[in-house]
Amino acid sequence: EAGVAQSPRYKIIEKRQSVAFWCNPISGHATLYWYQQILGQGPKLLIQFQNNGVVDDSQLPKDRFSAERLKGVDSTLKIQPAKLEDSAVYLCASSLLVSPKATEAFFGQGTRLTVV
Amino acid sequence: TQLLEQSPQFLSIQEGENLTVYCNSSSVFSSLQWYRQEPGEGPVLLVTVVTGGEVKKLKRLTFQFGDARKDSSLHITAAQPGDTGLYLCAGGRNYGQNFVFGPGTRLSVLP
Protein backbone atom coordinates (compact mmCIF):
# COMPACT_ATOMS: atom_id res chain seq x y z
CA GLU A 1 0.00 0.00 0.00
CA ALA A 2 1.41 3.41 -0.96
CA GLY A 3 2.07 5.81 1.89
CA VAL A 4 1.44 9.51 2.23
CA ALA A 5 3.28 11.37 -0.51
CA GLN A 6 4.60 14.89 -0.08
CA SER A 7 6.49 17.24 -2.33
CA PRO A 8 8.85 18.91 -2.51
CA ARG A 9 11.20 17.33 0.07
CA TYR A 10 13.19 20.51 0.51
CA LYS A 11 12.57 24.18 -0.25
CA ILE A 12 14.66 27.27 0.37
CA ILE A 13 13.04 30.67 -0.14
CA GLU A 14 13.68 34.25 0.83
CA LYS A 15 11.48 35.97 3.39
CA ARG A 16 8.37 37.57 1.94
CA GLN A 17 8.28 35.05 -0.92
CA SER A 18 5.46 32.54 -1.25
CA VAL A 19 5.66 28.74 -1.21
CA ALA A 20 3.29 25.82 -1.65
CA PHE A 21 3.45 22.23 -0.46
CA TRP A 22 1.52 19.30 -1.85
CA CYS A 23 0.22 16.16 -0.16
CA ASN A 24 -1.41 13.00 -1.49
CA PRO A 25 -2.87 10.93 1.36
CA ILE A 26 -3.33 7.19 1.57
CA SER A 27 -6.20 6.08 -0.62
CA GLY A 28 -9.47 5.90 1.29
CA HIS A 29 -8.34 8.02 4.24
CA ALA A 30 -10.96 10.68 4.80
CA THR A 31 -9.00 12.72 7.33
CA LEU A 32 -5.94 14.75 6.37
CA TYR A 33 -3.71 16.83 8.65
CA TRP A 34 -0.99 19.40 8.14
CA TYR A 35 1.52 19.73 10.97
CA GLN A 36 4.40 22.13 11.49
CA GLN A 37 7.45 20.73 13.26
CA ILE A 38 10.05 23.25 14.33
CA LEU A 39 13.50 21.83 15.05
CA GLY A 40 13.63 20.25 18.49
CA GLN A 41 9.86 20.29 18.99
CA GLY A 42 6.95 17.96 18.46
CA PRO A 43 4.57 18.44 15.53
CA LYS A 44 1.96 21.18 15.92
CA LEU A 45 -1.37 20.81 14.15
CA LEU A 46 -2.03 23.55 11.61
CA ILE A 47 -5.20 22.26 9.98
CA GLN A 48 -7.34 19.14 9.84
CA PHE A 49 -9.67 18.20 6.99
CA GLN A 50 -12.46 15.65 6.98
CA ASN A 51 -12.99 14.90 3.29
CA ASN A 52 -12.90 18.42 1.83
CA GLY A 53 -14.23 20.23 4.89
CA VAL A 54 -12.12 21.91 7.58
CA VAL A 55 -12.50 20.33 11.03
CA ASP A 56 -9.88 22.33 12.95
CA ASP A 57 -7.79 25.28 11.81
CA SER A 58 -7.53 27.03 15.16
CA GLN A 59 -3.72 27.13 15.08
CA LEU A 60 -3.34 28.11 11.44
CA PRO A 61 -1.90 31.66 11.05
CA LYS A 62 -4.59 32.66 8.61
CA ASP A 63 -3.02 35.98 7.71
CA ARG A 64 -0.29 34.13 5.83
CA PHE A 65 -1.16 30.42 5.70
CA SER A 66 -3.90 28.82 3.63
CA ALA A 67 -4.79 25.24 2.81
CA GLU A 68 -7.26 23.51 0.62
CA ARG A 69 -8.31 19.99 -0.11
CA LEU A 70 -10.20 19.92 -3.35
CA LYS A 71 -12.33 16.85 -4.07
CA GLY A 72 -11.42 15.44 -0.65
CA VAL A 73 -8.16 13.84 -1.80
CA ASP A 74 -4.97 15.85 -2.44
CA SER A 75 -4.18 18.91 -0.40
CA THR A 76 -1.99 21.98 -0.74
CA LEU A 77 -0.63 24.23 2.00
CA LYS A 78 0.51 27.72 1.04
CA ILE A 79 2.49 30.36 2.89
CA GLN A 80 2.38 33.92 1.59
CA PRO A 81 4.42 35.87 2.56
CA ALA A 82 6.93 33.67 4.38
CA LYS A 83 8.71 34.79 7.53
CA LEU A 84 11.99 33.55 9.00
CA GLU A 85 10.09 31.81 11.83
CA ASP A 86 8.24 29.65 9.28
CA SER A 87 11.41 27.59 8.83
CA ALA A 88 10.33 24.11 9.83
CA VAL A 89 9.36 20.70 8.54
CA TYR A 90 5.79 20.58 7.26
CA LEU A 91 4.28 17.15 7.74
CA CYS A 92 1.16 15.83 6.10
CA ALA A 93 -0.69 12.89 7.61
CA SER A 94 -3.83 10.96 6.82
CA SER A 95 -5.76 8.79 9.21
CA LEU A 96 -8.15 5.93 9.66
CA LEU A 97 -10.60 5.47 12.50
CA VAL A 98 -9.60 2.19 14.17
CA SER A 99 -12.07 2.22 17.07
CA PRO A 100 -14.65 4.60 18.52
CA LYS A 101 -11.87 6.24 20.50
CA ALA A 102 -8.78 5.98 18.38
CA THR A 103 -7.55 7.20 15.06
CA GLU A 104 -4.20 6.10 13.66
CA ALA A 105 -2.30 8.61 11.59
CA PHE A 106 0.25 7.87 8.89
CA PHE A 107 2.77 10.55 8.06
CA GLY A 108 4.59 11.56 4.93
CA GLN A 109 8.31 12.31 4.94
CA GLY A 110 7.67 16.02 5.23
CA THR A 111 8.88 19.13 3.43
CA ARG A 112 11.79 20.91 5.04
CA LEU A 113 11.35 24.65 4.50
CA THR A 114 14.18 27.09 5.09
CA VAL A 115 13.39 30.80 4.94
CA VAL A 116 16.44 33.03 4.57
CA THR B 1 1.59 25.99 27.24
CA GLN B 2 2.52 22.39 26.49
CA LEU B 3 -0.52 20.14 26.83
CA LEU B 4 1.69 17.06 26.90
CA GLU B 5 5.08 16.91 28.58
CA GLN B 6 7.70 14.28 27.94
CA SER B 7 10.70 13.34 30.02
CA PRO B 8 13.55 13.11 29.78
CA GLN B 9 14.12 15.48 26.90
CA PHE B 10 17.35 13.71 25.93
CA LEU B 11 18.66 10.27 26.81
CA SER B 12 21.93 8.67 25.79
CA ILE B 13 22.59 5.08 26.85
CA GLN B 14 24.75 2.12 25.98
CA GLU B 15 23.51 -0.82 23.95
CA GLY B 16 21.90 -3.44 26.18
CA GLU B 17 20.63 -1.05 28.85
CA ASN B 18 16.98 -0.64 29.78
CA LEU B 19 15.17 2.69 29.77
CA THR B 20 11.81 4.28 30.45
CA VAL B 21 10.46 7.50 28.99
CA TYR B 22 7.38 9.30 30.21
CA CYS B 23 4.50 11.27 28.79
CA ASN B 24 2.41 13.35 31.20
CA SER B 25 -0.56 15.67 31.01
CA SER B 26 -3.18 17.28 33.21
CA SER B 27 -5.76 16.47 30.53
CA VAL B 28 -7.63 13.23 29.94
CA PHE B 29 -7.27 11.68 26.50
CA SER B 30 -9.50 9.23 24.69
CA SER B 31 -6.42 7.49 23.34
CA LEU B 32 -2.69 7.82 23.44
CA GLN B 33 -0.17 6.93 20.81
CA TRP B 34 3.58 6.60 20.64
CA TYR B 35 5.52 7.39 17.49
CA ARG B 36 9.20 7.12 16.60
CA GLN B 37 10.72 9.64 14.23
CA GLU B 38 14.10 9.27 12.57
CA PRO B 39 16.00 12.22 11.05
CA GLY B 40 14.52 13.34 7.75
CA GLU B 41 11.46 11.15 8.10
CA GLY B 42 7.91 11.54 9.34
CA PRO B 43 6.79 9.95 12.63
CA VAL B 44 5.95 6.24 12.47
CA LEU B 45 3.23 4.87 14.70
CA LEU B 46 4.39 2.31 17.28
CA VAL B 47 1.26 1.70 19.35
CA THR B 48 -2.20 2.98 20.27
CA VAL B 49 -3.63 2.55 23.77
CA VAL B 50 -7.21 3.43 24.62
CA THR B 51 -8.09 1.91 28.00
CA GLY B 52 -6.86 3.25 31.34
CA GLY B 53 -4.28 0.86 32.78
CA GLU B 54 -3.74 -0.84 29.44
CA VAL B 55 -0.35 -2.42 28.80
CA LYS B 56 0.84 -3.34 25.33
CA LYS B 57 4.04 -5.09 24.35
CA LEU B 58 5.80 -4.83 21.02
CA LYS B 59 8.91 -7.05 21.09
CA ARG B 60 11.28 -5.21 23.47
CA LEU B 61 8.97 -2.23 23.91
CA THR B 62 6.32 -2.06 26.65
CA PHE B 63 3.72 0.70 26.64
CA GLN B 64 1.43 1.58 29.52
CA PHE B 65 -1.51 3.97 29.64
CA GLY B 66 -2.18 5.46 33.06
CA ASP B 67 -5.34 4.50 34.94
CA ALA B 68 -6.69 8.04 34.63
CA ARG B 69 -5.76 8.24 30.92
CA LYS B 70 -3.57 11.30 31.54
CA ASP B 71 -0.13 9.76 31.26
CA SER B 72 1.82 7.00 29.62
CA SER B 73 5.21 5.35 29.72
CA LEU B 74 7.38 3.54 27.22
CA HIS B 75 9.90 1.00 28.49
CA ILE B 76 12.60 -0.44 26.24
CA THR B 77 14.44 -3.56 27.30
CA ALA B 78 17.99 -4.22 26.10
CA ALA B 79 18.14 -1.15 23.88
CA GLN B 80 19.80 -1.44 20.49
CA PRO B 81 21.33 1.23 18.22
CA GLY B 82 18.35 0.78 15.92
CA ASP B 83 16.13 2.18 18.68
CA THR B 84 17.78 5.58 18.27
CA GLY B 85 15.31 8.30 17.36
CA LEU B 86 12.81 10.85 18.61
CA TYR B 87 9.99 9.25 20.60
CA LEU B 88 6.78 11.26 20.47
CA CYS B 89 3.59 10.70 22.40
CA ALA B 90 0.32 12.01 21.04
CA GLY B 91 -2.93 12.39 22.95
CA GLY B 92 -6.17 11.78 21.10
CA ARG B 93 -9.02 14.25 21.56
CA ASN B 94 -12.56 14.46 20.30
CA TYR B 95 -12.98 10.69 20.37
CA GLY B 96 -9.55 10.29 18.80
CA GLN B 97 -10.29 12.49 15.82
CA ASN B 98 -7.32 14.73 16.35
CA PHE B 99 -4.05 14.67 18.24
CA VAL B 100 -1.78 16.83 20.29
CA PHE B 101 1.87 15.87 20.34
CA GLY B 102 4.38 16.14 23.12
CA PRO B 103 7.82 17.66 22.48
CA GLY B 104 9.48 14.24 22.31
CA THR B 105 12.34 12.37 23.94
CA ARG B 106 15.45 12.13 21.83
CA LEU B 107 17.07 8.73 22.45
CA SER B 108 20.57 7.80 21.42
CA VAL B 109 21.73 4.21 21.89
CA LEU B 110 25.47 3.85 21.56
CA PRO B 111 27.02 0.58 20.35
Side-chain angles (χ1 to χ4, degrees), chain A residues 61-66 78-86:
Chain A
K62 298 180 186 63
D63 57 333
R64 299 184 300 105
F65 286 64
S66 64
K78 296 179 182 178
I79 307 175
Q80 182 180 13
K83 294 185 175 181
L84 296 177
E85 59 261 35
D86 298 332

Side-chain angles (χ1 to χ4, degrees), chain A residues 33-47 59 88-93 105 107-108, chain B residues 2-4 6 33 35-37 41-44 86-91 93 98-106:
Chain A
Y33 314 79
W34 283 101
Y35 284 87
Q36 179 192 60
Q37 187 174 24
I38 292 173
L39 187 65
Q41 299 181 18
K44 183 184 86 171
L45 179 67
L46 292 176
I47 189 167
Q59 297 193 86
V89 175
Y90 290 85
L91 294 163
C92 178
F107 284 82
Chain B
Q2 196 66 254
L3 198 58
L4 275 169
Q6 290 189 243
Q33 293 163 332
Y35 291 80
R36 182 170 67 213
Q37 185 177 23
E41 302 292 331
V44 174
L86 179 67
Y87 287 82
L88 295 160
C89 66
R93 302 180 298 184
N98 64 32
F99 312 88
V100 58
F101 279 85
T105 292
R106 189 164 298 281

